[in-house]
Amino acid sequence: MTFLTNQVGVNLTEDKIQLVEIVKKENKLFLENADEEFFEESIFENTKEAKYIHILQNAFNEIVLRNPLISTKISFTLPTNYFYVFEIPVDKNLTKSDLNDYIKWELSKLFPEEKSNNFTFQKIVLDSLNFQTVKRVLVFSIRTENLKRIHKFCVRNNLQLKNIDNAHVSSANLFLNKESNSTLLSIYVEQNRISCFLFANKNLLFEKHSKYKNVAEIPQLIELLQEEINSREIVKNSIEQLFVFGTSSTNELKNSLADLLKLKLNKINPFEEIVFPQDLNNKSITENPEKFAAAASIALRLI
């Protein structure tokens, strides 16, 4: 049985921590806390563990000093740059075990200097609207040490770690959980990276991620994305809706992308089914709630 209990969702970026705490009272969900704190120094995937946890702890302390946690269950989303995402074609007759072995082999080729157990991964079989003799598998791999340091942080704070997910994947669950058979494009903008998912009938068809030096490059990257989708004939019908997430996704950028793609910008409020405290005074939530999409979504994830 799956059910929702009091839970904390945390989204980490290179520069800050975002925290959302959901509390269940009388079969209703209440927003107990929604806050963010910038790090005293940016942290990256390759930051030494002791320094990483120290910086994270200091920022976390600032949030809980303002509003102590009620919950002990916690889940994290990590930035897209923590993940090595790649697509591979595989034989449809491969067993689950053989597929896992094949992915490990691919990782060994991508990172020949690394041991196979240095990475953990999740895989998604991409849907296809056209008949294909092979199936396409999207792999999200991450260094195991990044998961271990999050676990150590939780142990230090007497918190029970439930989930660790990709920030874009977590955000996308907000609209995938709703009834929709549309063809949807989801874009996640964070720091100098952009991640794109294409869905049809709630199934993932296509993924693309890129780096950029400044925001002015984003429209060109999106145009190239659109050209690739069209040239590969990934979808039969035109894309109908656009979702844009990420802490770097300003309202101006969202509207600009919608105009560029000539798509309807579908704004989604991750807090729409949650009772707000009367004393909430957080402009980030009231003016651009989608910036907290990753943390809110994973806080709402059923256990």
Side-chain angles (χ1 to χ4, degrees):
M1 177 182 292
T2 58
F3 56 94
L4 185 64
T5 61
N6 298 350
Q7 295 176 167
V8 177
V10 169
N11 177 48
L12 298 183
T13 74
E14 293 176 355
D15 295 332
K16 65 182 174 182
I17 174 177
Q18 294 179 309
L19 183 147
V20 171
E21 182 176 18
I22 306 297
V23 173
K24 188 175 183 180
K25 303 174 186 176
E26 300 175 353
N27 291 323
K28 291 185 179 180
L29 298 178
F30 289 81
L31 181 62
E32 184 67 26
N33 195 359
D35 203 350
E36 62 183 8
E37 181 72 26
F38 281 90
F39 297 132
E40 58 199 36
E41 181 181 340
S42 296
I43 56 175
F44 306 96
E45 183 200 9
N46 59 357
T47 301
K48 296 292 185 182
E49 181 182 283
K51 183 178 182 180
Y52 186 103
I53 294 178
H54 173 76
I55 293 173
L56 173 57
Q57 185 69 59
N58 286 345
F60 178 78
N61 289 345
E62 292 296 323
I63 291 178
V64 297
L65 282 172
R66 291 193 288 266
N67 191 353
L69 297 182
I70 293 175
S71 316
T72 58
K73 296 183 178 68
I74 191 168
S75 297
F76 282 76
T77 60
L78 299 178
T80 55
N81 59 295
Y82 279 47
F83 295 84
Y84 303 91
V85 185
F86 55 94
E87 178 185 323
I88 53 175
V90 298
D91 190 298
K92 288 185 176 182
N93 297 318
L94 276 183
T95 65
K96 181 178 179 181
S97 176
D98 288 340
L99 177 55
N100 288 339
D101 288 340
Y102 180 57
I103 292 172
K104 290 177 183 178
W105 180 83
E106 286 284 349
L107 283 168
S108 72
K109 295 301 179 183
L110 287 171
F111 307 99
E113 73 285 357
E114 302 271 5
K115 294 180 180 179
S116 60
N117 60 357
N118 285 359
F119 293 89
T120 187
F121 60 87
Q122 290 286 350
K123 56 188 181 293
I124 300 174
V125 177
L126 296 174
D127 198 18
S128 175
L129 301 182
N130 303 308
F131 175 78
Q132 294 181 341
T133 56
V134 297
K135 63 182 178 181
R136 297 178 300 127
V137 175
L138 187 66
V139 180
F140 289 84
S141 61
I142 187 171
R143 293 184 188 277
T144 309
E145 64 186 56
N146 288 317
L147 308 183
K148 289 181 178 178
R149 63 177 60 174
I150 297 298
H151 180 259
K152 287 182 181 179
F153 168 83
C154 293
V155 171
R156 174 183 291 188
N157 290 278
N158 297 315
L159 297 168
Q160 184 181 2
L161 180 61
K162 304 303 296 185
N163 297 290
I164 297 177
D165 203 353
N166 174 286
H168 191 184
V169 173
S170 179
S171 299
N173 283 330
L174 289 171
F175 61 79
L176 291 177
N177 288 333
K178 299 180 181 296
E179 290 297 327
S180 175
N181 295 319
S182 303
T183 302
L184 313 169
L185 179 63
S186 176
I187 298 175
Y188 195 92
V189 186
E190 186 66 70
Q191 304 293 129
N192 64 336
R193 293 170 176 84
I194 184 167
S195 169
C196 303
F197 294 154
L198 180 65
F199 296 92
N201 302 322
K202 295 188 177 183
N203 296 316
L204 183 60
L205 303 180
F206 176 77
E207 182 276 342
K208 192 80 173 181
H209 56 277
S210 305
K211 289 184 180 181
Y212 61 89
K213 292 182 179 179
N214 58 69
V215 177
E217 296 177 12
I218 292 179
Q220 183 181 6
L221 292 174
I222 296 301
E223 286 180 336
L224 292 173
L225 167 78
Q226 195 172 33
E227 288 175 8
E228 183 173 353
I229 291 172
N230 292 336
S231 65
R232 291 175 57 179
E233 298 181 338
I234 293 174
V235 291
K236 292 181 180 178
N237 301 319
S238 59
I239 300 171
E240 299 166 79
Q241 297 185 61
L242 172 68
F243 294 86
V244 184
F245 301 104
T247 62
S248 299
S249 61
T250 63
N251 287 324
E252 292 77 12
L253 177 61
K254 293 176 185 178
N255 292 328
S256 175
L257 292 176
D259 291 341
L260 173 68
L261 294 168
K262 296 180 174 56
L263 292 175
K264 174 188 174 184
L265 177 62
N266 198 331
K267 294 188 177 182
I268 187 166
N269 183 353
F271 303 103
E272 64 182 353
E273 297 178 1
I274 302 172
V275 180
F276 271 49
Q278 293 182 349
D279 59 348
L280 179 69
N281 185 23
N282 189 323
K283 287 187 176 181
S284 295
I285 292 177
T286 55
E287 295 179 2
N288 194 351
E290 286 153 309
K291 282 194 172 185
F292 280 80
S297 179
I298 203 161
L300 289 167
R301 186 168 296 183
L302 296 176
I303 296 176

